[in-house]
Amino acid sequence: MRKITSILAISILGFGLFITSGCSSSAKSEGKPEKIRLDYAYYSPTSLVLKKFGFLEDEFKDDGIEIEWTLSQGSNKALEFLNSNSVDFGSAAGAATLMSKANGAPIKNVYIANKPEWTALVTSADSTIKSVKDLKGKKVAATLGTDPYIFLLRALDKEGVSVDDVEIVNLQHGDGASSLTNGSVDAWAGLDPHMARLEIETGAKLFYRNPDFNTYGFLNVREDFAEKYPEYVQRVIKAYEKARQWVLDHPEEAVNLLAEEASIPEDVARIQLERNDFSEPVPGDVQRKALIEAGKILQESDVIDSGADLEKLTSNLIDPSFAKKAIEGK
């Protein structure tokens, strides 16, 4: 872990700090928020639908509540926004969310936006790398604190390769794709839509895939917002449900929308959406089990404190009550 320790410390510090500065979204005297701040992300298609069609703006128009959007370029950025009180709701991969929670982030998971196979290990078309074992002595790009990074750790562990035998280069997802293309790195822990684009444009190869190592797309909320405004959390989830159903009912239009919003070709957007399952929006035991398995690898890699109680962490993180009330009326 020596090769990534200093960079990782900086990344984790960003997750662990609870920054109290910045604009508050609450207005206690009125009993409702003045504005609701959310992120949107190209790796979260339902968030793009939500923003495009103004479902939240329509939902809260009569309340006089402003909706404010911020683009997240990766789970690490979404979690930083949540931690710095820049957004109230943020989209992030489940394992990255667990990392942030383990380092003191004041967040809860209240909704499952998607179950994606959004990451794999990727190399160039002419590379001699065929397996995870071939990564020994190689440079691998990954965005620390995100699902692709955690996917890489789990792949190395499963195939019996030490992290110390690989040089992990910390790059944001798009930069990782570019570095693979120009030969600056030997492999990349990829993320869609960048990964799908490289497959089509350069013939890049997904040489290691394991859908079970991809943790779910979490919609997280700041705990203070959820405590003050539980009914508004439910209404946000209802709007997300409207967006989710639109994606299911309009698959081809969803491809067009993703292509337009992310500025990617439609064939790239189609591959990305084909790798997503939008069928189970209520978080629960399935997600807890997936995070615990990911958490064990993170503990072994000294990313999460080895003494952390993963069962307790995941139970404190995942709260299905809001989605159950919003979707199931329970």
Side-chain angles (χ1 to χ4, degrees):
M1 291 300 290
R2 290 188 299 274
K3 298 175 183 175
I4 61 171
T5 298
S6 60
I7 298 173
L8 185 57
I10 295 171
S11 178
I12 295 300
L13 180 61
F15 289 144
L17 290 175
F18 175 43
I19 304 172
T20 56
S21 61
C23 295
S24 171
S25 66
S26 64
K28 293 181 181 178
S29 61
E30 296 181 5
K32 66 179 181 180
E34 292 177 350
K35 67 171 67 172
I36 297 176
R37 306 162 301 165
L38 309 94
D39 79 338
Y40 66 104
Y42 304 139
Y43 53 82
S44 176
T46 46
S47 72
L48 301 179
V49 173
L50 198 66
K51 181 176 181 291
K52 177 69 174 181
F53 293 111
F55 294 155
L56 279 170
E57 287 82 354
D58 291 343
E59 171 69 26
F60 293 107
K61 180 171 58 178
D62 292 341
D63 299 270
I65 296 173
E66 178 186 352
I67 303 300
E68 180 178 288
W69 294 98
T70 299
L71 175 65
S72 288
Q73 296 284 7
S75 294
N76 59 331
K77 295 300 181 183
L79 291 162
E80 286 172 12
F81 293 149
L82 283 163
N83 221 21
S84 63
N85 197 13
S86 298
V87 299
D88 303 305
F89 293 84
S91 311
T97 301
L98 178 66
M99 284 176 59
S100 188
K101 184 71 171 180
N103 285 280
I107 54 176
K108 282 186 178 293
N109 163 240
V110 294
Y111 183 76
I112 301 300
N114 53 343
K115 180 187 178 182
E117 186 193 358
W118 54 18
T119 188
L121 299 186
V122 188
T123 193
S124 57
D126 58 355
S127 174
T128 59
I129 294 173
K130 305 294 183 184
S131 69
V132 175
K133 288 184 171 61
D134 293 335
L135 294 177
K136 291 182 179 180
K138 305 295 186 182
K139 291 182 179 180
V140 184
T143 309
L144 300 186
T146 66
D147 231 31
Y149 167 68
I150 297 161
F151 183 95
L152 172 61
L153 293 184
R154 296 187 73 179
L156 293 172
D157 178 77
K158 181 175 176 60
E159 299 300 320
V161 178
S162 170
V163 173
D164 290 328
D165 290 333
V166 176
E167 182 178 349
I168 299 177
V169 182
N170 183 28
L171 295 170
Q172 281 298 132
H173 303 298
D175 295 331
S178 299
S179 293
L180 180 64
T181 301
N182 66 30
S184 299
V185 297
D186 303 293
W188 169 52
L191 181 74
D192 276 334
H194 309 287
M195 188 166 66
R197 177 177 59 80
L198 256 60
E199 284 184 87
I200 291 174
E201 293 180 358
T202 72
K205 298 179 294 186
L206 277 56
F207 69 93
Y208 184 85
R209 299 174 71 171
N210 188 330
D212 290 338
F213 284 0
N214 293 254
T215 53
Y216 292 73
F218 277 22
L219 179 67
N220 302 311
V221 64
R222 287 180 53 81
E223 289 178 346
D224 57 353
F225 187 95
E227 289 169 2
K228 292 176 184 175
Y229 312 117
E231 69 275 19
Y232 292 92
V233 175
Q234 293 169 37
R235 290 173 68 182
V236 168
I237 291 172
K238 285 182 179 179
Y240 253 96
E241 272 295 281
K242 191 173 181 179
R244 183 180 71 90
Q245 194 60 51
W246 187 92
V247 172
L248 292 173
D249 293 342
H250 304 87
E252 195 58 31
E253 291 94 329
V255 168
N256 297 336
L257 175 58
L258 176 59
E260 176 187 346
E261 292 296 313
S263 298
I264 56 177
E266 289 185 4
D267 51 356
V268 173
R270 186 170 288 105
I271 290 174
Q272 179 182 350
L273 284 173
E274 287 173 352
R275 291 173 179 161
N276 277 265
D277 178 355
F278 300 96
S279 64
E280 297 181 9
V282 179
D285 289 339
V286 172
Q287 287 75 30
R288 289 191 186 96
K289 290 176 182 177
L291 291 198
I292 288 170
E293 289 306 310
K296 291 175 182 177
I297 300 301
L298 292 170
Q299 286 183 320
E300 291 174 7
S301 303
D302 298 324
V303 176
I304 290 179
D305 184 350
S306 61
D309 185 334
L310 295 177
E311 293 275 358
K312 184 177 180 180
L313 267 178
T314 54
S315 293
N316 289 340
L317 172 62
I318 296 174
D319 186 345
S321 64
F322 295 96
K324 285 182 177 179
K325 288 177 182 177
I327 300 169
E328 303 171 357
K330 296 180 180 178

